[in-house]
Amino acid sequence: MEKSKKQRAISGIRPTGKLHLGHLIGVLDNWREMQENFKCFFFVADWHALTTEYDDPSKIKVYSKEMVLDWLAAGIDPEKGIIFLQSDIKEHAELYLMLSMIVPIPWLERVPSYKEIKEELTNKDLSTYGFLGYPVLQASDILIYKADVVPVGIDQVPHVELTREIARRFNNLYGTETFVEPQAKLTVTPKLLGLDGRKMGKSYNNCIYLSDPREVVSEKVMHMMTDPLRVKRSDCGDPEVSIVFGYHKIFSPHEKVKEIGEKCRTAQIGCVECKKELIKNLWGYLEQFQFRRSDISKKWKDVDDIFFEGGKKAREFSSKTIKEIKEAMKII
Ligand code: TRP
């Protein structure tokens, strides 16, 4: 396929903490595949981080840089996709401002994550203008590159849907076809659950971090939930309800998964033995990642270089779109 005919894809992660296994398996593996066939824009959503971390933003910078090293170790390649820092591209903010003029407040109030996150993060005051506007900023990220697809998890689908509505509203209002309506592309990888069976997430305290050393990984696996109905070693288990078995499916060889499943059902293997096998395989995988991570951090002493180069490329697109927007609105 010719380079310019490639579909465009955009996705970002908020730098609010260290990345965990759910990011690697759910998000970054997907990005790595997409960078082969799409024109990809991968960015660090540091302004989005501010919507919830405004009371202590000092760590955002460090997390941003650390996160990009994780991306590189996961095989995201700055030669293939454009890696950049959201706040380096002022056009996101400019479009955000313009879109804020045309987005009705009720559209924002009914976005499910608005209520959910407010209820979840009770220790933060999220009754701010910026937090309500979160999806408008996200729409700007997407629309400014006229992205065709947005690879995201299921929780982000309403944001992409809203982005489509905003694009339509803009195009109708100004009688143009400036914006492309993007599609969400759901991650196909089976979702990796947290240690307790909920979605893996920092605020649930149920993560295996990409930087966890072997002892920590082992301890976490040892505390993972198995089949709660299998009380005694001699009881037969149901591997399908065990979190540990879900991990085996991702990190253990196919044959081993089959064997463990059968042995669990017939009480030939106990949970401790099963977990030890997982620790071996999971650690093998993570250790490789950590080797690559440490090599890469030696090579890229300064992630700012990556942001600088990626920023230049991103700006080529974003500045063009801003010009088109102003033309459509006849304010140029
Ligand atoms: N809201 C996304 C999340 O929390 C992060 C994000 C911000 C994003 N802007 C985006 C994702 C644009 C895709 C496209 O995961």
Side-chain angles (χ1 to χ4, degrees):
M1 210 191 281
E2 209 186 306
K3 229 180 173 177
S4 57
K5 298 271 167 59
K6 274 187 183 171
Q7 285 207 312
R8 282 196 281 266
I10 184 153
S11 201
I13 306 181
R14 299 175 346 120
T16 54
K18 294 184 290 183
L19 293 194
H20 53 64
L21 216 47
H23 289 115
L24 184 58
I25 300 299
V27 184
L28 297 175
D29 281 355
N30 193 30
W31 287 12
R32 190 179 54 239
E33 258 176 52
M34 289 191 78
Q35 69 182 355
E36 303 298 334
N37 302 313
F38 290 81
K39 171 96 196 156
C40 289
F41 296 81
F42 298 130
F43 72 101
V44 177
D46 58 339
W47 275 333
H48 274 110
L50 269 183
T51 61
T52 54
E53 314 300 306
Y54 63 86
D55 53 346
D56 181 16
S58 60
K59 294 209 190 75
I60 294 178
K61 191 83 213 174
V62 179
Y63 286 143
S64 296
K65 293 186 176 187
E66 291 292 319
M67 184 160 87
V68 169
L69 293 174
D70 286 334
W71 293 4
L72 300 182
I76 308 303
D77 182 348
E79 299 293 320
K80 292 183 177 159
I82 300 178
I83 297 179
F84 66 96
L85 180 69
Q86 183 186 33
S87 64
D88 278 345
I89 313 294
K90 306 299 180 226
E91 286 83 357
H92 289 230
E94 193 173 355
L95 180 54
Y96 171 57
L97 180 143
M98 293 201 265
L99 295 181
S100 76
M101 306 299 165
I102 68 165
V103 178
I105 291 174
W107 286 15
L108 300 175
E109 284 170 335
R110 59 169 190 256
V111 172
S113 58
Y114 179 62
K115 253 182 78 187
E116 281 163 23
I117 298 179
K118 254 173 102 166
E119 277 164 19
E120 206 173 282
L121 303 181
T122 43
N123 55 336
K124 305 207 178 197
D125 178 7
L126 293 181
S127 46
T128 57
Y129 172 55
F131 188 64
L132 179 66
Y134 183 111
V136 183
L137 182 56
Q138 182 161 354
S140 310
D141 301 333
I142 299 169
L143 295 178
I144 202 141
Y145 301 106
K146 301 189 181 187
D148 303 286
V149 290
V150 189
V152 280
I154 190 131
D155 58 313
Q156 294 293 313
V157 170
H159 290 170
V160 179
E161 198 45 55
L162 183 76
T163 303
R164 295 163 61 84
E165 284 174 48
I166 296 175
R168 235 175 286 145
R169 184 166 167 93
F170 184 96
N171 289 350
N172 284 337
L173 262 176
Y174 305 113
T176 63
E177 288 177 10
T178 308
F179 290 134
V180 173
E181 282 187 40
Q183 300 282 348
K185 183 180 183 290
L186 283 181
T187 343
V188 278
T189 353
K191 210 163 65 195
L192 190 90
L193 294 173
L195 302 171
D196 55 0
R198 291 186 291 175
K199 182 185 166 185
M200 193 179 279
K202 183 179 66 152
S203 51
Y204 296 141
N205 200 11
N206 64 358
C207 300
I208 294 178
Y209 289 100
L210 298 183
S211 55
D212 278 348
R214 188 192 172 110
E215 318 76 73
V216 174
V217 172
S218 284
E219 204 188 305
K220 287 181 175 174
V221 171
M222 282 301 175
H223 284 103
M224 245 185 219
M225 292 230 311
T226 54
D227 176 0
L229 295 179
R230 189 177 180 201
V231 183
K232 292 193 295 294
R233 166 73 176 78
S234 54
D235 294 340
C236 293
D238 177 2
E240 295 306 331
V241 302
S242 160
I243 307 300
V244 180
F245 193 61
Y247 274 65
H248 272 298
K249 286 182 184 164
I250 298 173
F251 298 105
S252 301
H254 185 66
E255 282 310 306
K256 200 74 200 172
V257 178
K258 250 175 70 186
E259 182 194 318
I260 287 176
E262 276 160 25
K263 286 187 168 170
C264 172
R265 272 185 215 98
T266 50
Q268 291 176 68
I269 187 175
C271 293
V272 171
E273 196 187 330
C274 170
K275 284 176 168 178
K276 285 197 170 143
E277 177 68 24
L278 175 64
I279 291 167
K280 187 178 90 195
N281 299 332
L282 171 56
W283 176 248
Y285 183 88
L286 255 190
E287 190 181 33
Q288 287 304 311
F289 175 86
Q290 292 179 6
F291 279 146
R292 286 196 303 275
R293 173 72 163 73
S294 118
D295 272 354
I296 278 166
S297 58
K298 278 177 218 141
K299 180 172 160 223
W300 287 97
K301 287 218 177 46
D302 202 351
V303 174
D304 280 331
D305 294 344
I306 297 179
F307 287 148
F308 183 76
E309 291 304 320
K312 275 202 293 202
K313 294 184 202 158
R315 215 169 290 114
E316 273 175 36
F317 282 82
S318 63
S319 55
K320 234 169 71 197
T321 311
I322 286 287
K323 193 158 168 280
E324 286 175 37
I325 291 164
K326 288 182 178 167
E327 274 163 8
M329 295 172 76
K330 302 203 170 46
I331 54 172
I332 204 161

